[in-house]
């Protein structure tokens, strides 16, 4: 592509509807292509159902929703990073592995945060049901 011709340059989305459409397409693609995203979504649905059953307070809901969405966002970013690395090199490179491992580590760290948050909120309520 000849960048001197301004007609060939990528253009910003002209309408908000285009921006939303492309964003939803990105989320949809992540769900379709990433097994871990589907697993995180299932965990989020379980947390939602458990929260409804246990009648969480507004503050507890905020923590559950925040942690769930943080995991989703980190999984999307991890997928972006993995795809970019694969775009740059198809061959094994130690730096490419390092970047992918670090991105996966960010998802793992966020998932641990979500699990700890869930335990702090749900465990006392579940224990109270049985004792």
């Amino acid at each position: 592509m000849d960048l001197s011709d301004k007609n060939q340059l990528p253009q910003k989305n002209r309408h908000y509807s285009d921006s939303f459409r492309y964003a939803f397409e990105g989320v949809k693609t992540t769900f379709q292509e990433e097994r871990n995203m589907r697993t995180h979504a299932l965990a989020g649905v379980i947390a939602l159902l458990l929260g409804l059953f246990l009648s969480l307070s507004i503050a507890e809901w905020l923590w559950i929703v925040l942690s769930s969405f943080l995991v989703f966002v980190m999984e999307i970013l991890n997928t972006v990073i993995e795809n970019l690395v694969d775009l740059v090199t198809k061959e094994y490179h130690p730096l490419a592995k390092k970047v992918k491992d670090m991105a996966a580590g960010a998802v793992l760290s966020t998932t641990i945060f979500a699990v700890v948050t869930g335990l702090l909120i749900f465990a006392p309520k579940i224990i109270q049901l049985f004792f």
Side-chain angles (χ1 to χ4, degrees), residues 100-121:
K100 285 184 169 188
D101 290 350
M102 292 166 77
V107 177
L108 177 62
S109 300
T110 309
T111 302
I112 291 169
F113 169 76
V115 168
V116 169
T117 301
L119 287 173
L120 290 171
I121 291 172

Side-chain angles (χ1 to χ4, degrees), residues 26-82:
V27 172
K28 180 178 135 186
T29 299
T30 307
F31 271 95
Q32 289 173 338
E33 295 180 3
E34 297 298 322
R35 180 188 66 230
N36 288 344
M37 183 61 132
R38 293 188 297 273
T39 302
H40 295 310
L42 176 61
V45 168
I46 291 169
L48 171 75
L49 294 174
L50 194 56
L52 291 171
F53 176 74
L54 296 173
S55 301
L56 297 183
S57 70
I58 293 293
E60 292 167 328
W61 273 117
L62 287 172
W63 282 105
I64 295 299
V65 170
L66 172 67
S67 11
S68 296
F69 273 91
L70 281 174
V71 172
F72 294 154
V73 169
M74 291 309 298
E75 188 63 49
I76 290 169
L77 289 174
N78 178 53
T79 302
V80 167
I81 291 167
E82 287 180 346

